[in-house]
């Protein structure tokens, strides 16, 4: 409730929920939707993508995404694709400077089957073409969201049985996606800028290759195009997980929070303009963890673009 109240007061244009919704604590699914709408407003764009607790394939106790989509429908007019599973939209609607792409790596849907993002699959190719199309259209910022993680300091490995899969992670980093949003590993983790190069042909999994990290500037201010930043934002209300500072992948991360490290419930607020993308963790209860960073770029000269920051 505190997290939803925080979202309602954040002045956001929409919210992206990256899976694992009611956990079955409020059932049927419509009861959870009513609870959300009682906090954020009945018409607020509370946009969904499924997690493993509502795909119907792994943990059937959490409800079914198709039912959640009925009571919290898409409210973004520029949405393209299969809402709740694999879709994108551009923002703002006129002269957009951001594309938001939502995916379902390694989820198996009761209605939709297995979403395989291995290299060369239809889903993998859809992501690549959707990113390329945005670049061709002059859309500056690319944000990709999904439920499962690949690299993390939490309990989940990145392999064929769990996690987002290294193929899709490496695709996003190779395409220089600006921000990758994930859930699943209850807590908050923010990576350093990740980039592929001759010394880092792929992001090493269950290890740390320092050559994959572009560098960390003072104050958490980065230059667009130098690396992708992964943000695991999964502190919306369920039990937080421990963070392992000795995890082999810990070297990829710049900030973190979990059950054993200043546990704080909250959400990530992202603010984007033509020239800057910034993010801030907004704590709403329990602890006092905070984190923020910015990615900057020279503004374009297109006169129709609006440089005013818009929180999402």
């Amino acid at each position: 409730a505190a997290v939803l109240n925080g979202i309602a007061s954040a002045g956001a244009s929409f919210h992206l929920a990256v899976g694992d919704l009611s956990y079955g604590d409020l059932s049927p699914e419509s009861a959870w939707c009513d609870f959300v709408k009682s906090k954020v407003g009945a018409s607020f764009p509370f946009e969904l993508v499924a997690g493993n607790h509502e795909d119907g394939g792994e943990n059937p106790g959490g409800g079914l995404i198709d039912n959640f989509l009925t009571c919290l429908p898409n409210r973004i007019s520029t949405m393209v694709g299969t809402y709740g599973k694999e879709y994108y939209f551009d923002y703002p609607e006129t002269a957009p400077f951001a594309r938001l792409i939502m995916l379902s790596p390694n989820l198996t849907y009761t209605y939709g089957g297995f979403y395989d993002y291995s290299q060369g699959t239809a889903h993998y190719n859809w992501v690549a073409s959707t990113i390329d199309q945005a670049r061709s259209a002059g859309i500056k910022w690319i944000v990709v969201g999904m439920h499962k993680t690949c690299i993390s300091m939490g309990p989940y490995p990145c392999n064929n049985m769990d996690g987002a899969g290294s193929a899709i992670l490496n695709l996003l980093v190779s395409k220089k996606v600006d921000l990758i949003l994930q859930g699943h590993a209850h807590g908050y983790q923010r990576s350093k800028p990740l980039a592929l190069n001759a010394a880092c042909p792929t992001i090493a999994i269950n290890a740390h290759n320092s050559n994959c990290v572009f560098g960390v500037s003072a104050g958490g201010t980065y230059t667009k195009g130098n690396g992708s930043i992964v943000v695991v934002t999964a502190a919306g209300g369920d039990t937080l997980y421990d963070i392992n500072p000795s995890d082999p992948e810990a070297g990829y991360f710049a900030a973190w929070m979990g059950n054993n490290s200043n546990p704080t419930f909250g959400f990530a607020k992202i603010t984007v303009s033509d020239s800057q993308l910034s993010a801030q963790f907004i704590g709403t209860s329990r602890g006092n963890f905070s984190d923020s960073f910015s990615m900057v770029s020279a503004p374009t000269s297109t006169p129709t673009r609006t440089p005013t920051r818009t929180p999402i």
Side-chain angles (χ1 to χ4, degrees), residues 152-154 242-248 250 260:
S152 83
M153 298 169 64
D242 286 349
I243 289 291
N244 180 12
S246 300
D247 189 284
N260 59 341

Side-chain angles (χ1 to χ4, degrees), residues 32-187:
W32 186 80
C33 294
D34 290 342
F35 173 65
V36 170
K37 289 185 283 191
S38 73
K39 302 298 182 182
V40 303
S43 61
F44 178 74
F46 198 89
E47 303 295 297
L48 306 180
V49 72
N52 56 289
H53 277 273
E54 55 271 342
D55 66 348
E58 289 186 43
N59 298 281
L64 194 65
I65 186 61
D66 306 86
N67 296 334
F68 286 107
L69 301 181
T70 299
C71 52
L72 277 173
N74 167 58
R75 298 187 182 279
I76 303 291
S77 62
T78 58
M79 193 276 291
V80 176
T82 304
Y83 176 57
K85 298 174 183 178
E86 183 180 81
Y87 63 97
Y88 76 87
F89 60 91
D90 297 334
Y91 190 83
E93 183 175 351
T94 302
F97 43 70
R99 173 162 291 186
L100 295 303
I101 307 171
M102 305 300 284
L103 309 178
S104 294
N106 288 76
L107 295 186
T108 301
Y109 290 106
T110 298
Y111 303 104
F114 179 56
Y115 273 53
D116 184 1
Y117 290 84
S118 300
Q119 187 171 359
T121 61
H123 291 292
Y124 180 99
N125 292 338
W126 182 87
V127 177
S129 63
T130 300
I131 295 171
D132 292 344
Q133 181 191 56
R135 301 292 192 203
S136 298
I139 296 173
K140 179 169 287 187
W141 302 102
I142 306 293
V143 178
V144 176
M146 65 192 76
H147 177 65
K148 288 189 174 180
T149 58
C150 189
I151 58 169
S152 83
M153 298 169 64
Y156 295 114
C158 179
N159 54 49
N160 292 332
M161 297 301 294
D162 206 350
S166 58
I168 192 65
L169 173 63
N170 282 291
L171 173 65
L172 300 180
V173 175
S174 71
K175 293 287 187 182
K176 298 186 177 181
V177 164
D178 301 292
L179 180 61
I180 302 168
L181 300 173
Q182 298 178 329
H184 201 39
H186 299 189

